[in-house]
Amino acid sequence: SSELTQDPAVSVALGQTVRITCQGDSLRSYYASWYQQKPGQAPVLVIYGKNNRPSGIPDRFSGSSSGNTASLTITGAQAEDEADYYCNSRDSSGNHSFGTGTKVTVL
Amino acid sequence: QITLKESGPTLVKPTQTLTLTCTFSGFSLSTSGVGVGWIRQPPGKALEWLALIYWNDDKRYSPSLKSRLTITKDTSKNQVVLTMTNMDPVDTATYYCAHSGSSGRNFDYWGQGTLVTVSS
């Protein structure tokens, strides 16, 4: 499975916008999905496909992709968005990879 | 609603084989496009995908762990079993199972996870 690289940590002021990126060769062919994980909890899917949100995920979460880079944007970050975020994709063999993870701090 | 729950030993010794069971409800693993995957997370570290089994019994394994992993399903019991041989302390992690309803494109429902410690 191919590697997916994320920045280790980002911070954002309350109410501002933050973009988290994920880079990997598989992203040229397959969409990333994005997961939010809070301490002691299981990951939660927040974005999948081109830019789809599961039921219950606020519309401040959005996704995009260009070349080998996928992005998750939080527009108007809230205190409850402070968490670790992971991207995920599969490759042409059907094998999956998760990104290295980004810790988002809301100031 | 879809739920998944992992079960198995909390402590295994080095070189032993780990067997984990994912018991699920709210969906059938005989439905086209459905899969169940296993993902683990060492304490303080990132998620790592391990394996995925589909409704048609197609299986995928992490290339780096393929020789140690076996994933099977029991559709009648609504269970998926993962075995990992030759356990080592570096395999200490929380192990999650997760549902994929989109032919393996993403994992939309997750179990709570089970912490497995490898120690003598």
Side-chain angles (χ1 to χ4, degrees):
Chain A
S1 32
S2 62
E3 293 185 357
L4 297 175
T5 303
Q6 301 178 235
D7 290 332
V10 297
S11 60
V12 57
L14 185 68
Q16 296 304 300
T17 297
V18 62
R19 174 177 286 185
I20 306 162
T21 61
C22 172
Q23 290 188 306
D25 288 340
S26 63
L27 300 178
R28 296 184 184 279
S29 303
Y30 299 94
Y31 288 118
S33 51
W34 290 91
Y35 303 83
Q36 176 192 70
Q37 186 180 34
K38 296 181 179 180
Q41 297 183 19
V44 173
L45 178 67
V46 295
I47 290 290
Y48 66 96
K50 189 173 183 180
N51 181 20
N52 300 296
R53 285 175 288 105
S55 175
I57 301 301
D59 61 5
R60 62 179 179 269
F61 290 91
S62 62
S64 61
S65 183
S66 177
N68 73 334
T69 301
S71 300
L72 173 70
T73 300
I74 308 174
T75 303
Q78 301 300 303
E80 60 264 32
D81 300 333
E82 187 163 290
D84 294 328
Y85 291 84
Y86 294 93
C87 59
N88 162 244
S89 180
R90 63 178 182 179
D91 62 19
S92 58
S93 298
N95 296 322
H96 278 257
S97 291
F98 282 89
T100 50
T102 298
K103 181 177 181 60
V104 172
T105 301
V106 180
L107 304 173
Chain B
Q1 79 279 22
I2 290 176
T3 64
L4 305 98
K5 187 172 184 178
E6 307 85 353
S7 60
T10 58
L11 179 66
V12 298
K13 289 180 168 46
T15 76
Q16 287 186 336
T17 293
L18 171 69
T19 299
L20 293 172
T21 300
C22 176
T23 302
F24 56 85
S25 64
F27 68 95
S28 172
L29 200 38
S30 60
T31 300
S32 179
V34 173
V36 172
W38 286 93
I39 301 100
R40 72 178 178 179
Q41 185 173 39
K45 296 189 177 181
L47 300 170
E48 179 183 17
W49 173 73
L50 300 177
L52 178 57
I53 189 166
Y54 291 96
W55 81 101
N56 59 0
D57 211 38
D58 188 19
K59 301 167 187 177
R60 293 288 182 267
Y61 296 101
S62 166
S64 63
L65 293 168
K66 185 174 184 176
S67 64
R68 299 173 54 205
L69 296 173
T70 302
I71 190 169
T72 60
K73 63 182 175 69
D74 187 329
T75 305
S76 64
K77 292 183 178 180
N78 282 352
Q79 291 182 333
V80 170
V81 175
L82 181 76
T83 61
M84 180 180 291
T85 62
N86 195 25
M87 294 292 284
D88 182 271
V90 300
D91 296 313
T92 294
T94 295
Y95 288 75
Y96 297 97
C97 63
H99 167 275
S100 175
S102 55
S103 296
R105 292 187 183 91
N106 55 68
F107 299 101
D108 49 3
Y109 296 90
W110 294 61
Q112 64 191 22
T114 185
L115 175 62
V116 178
T117 301
V118 184
S119 175
S120 54

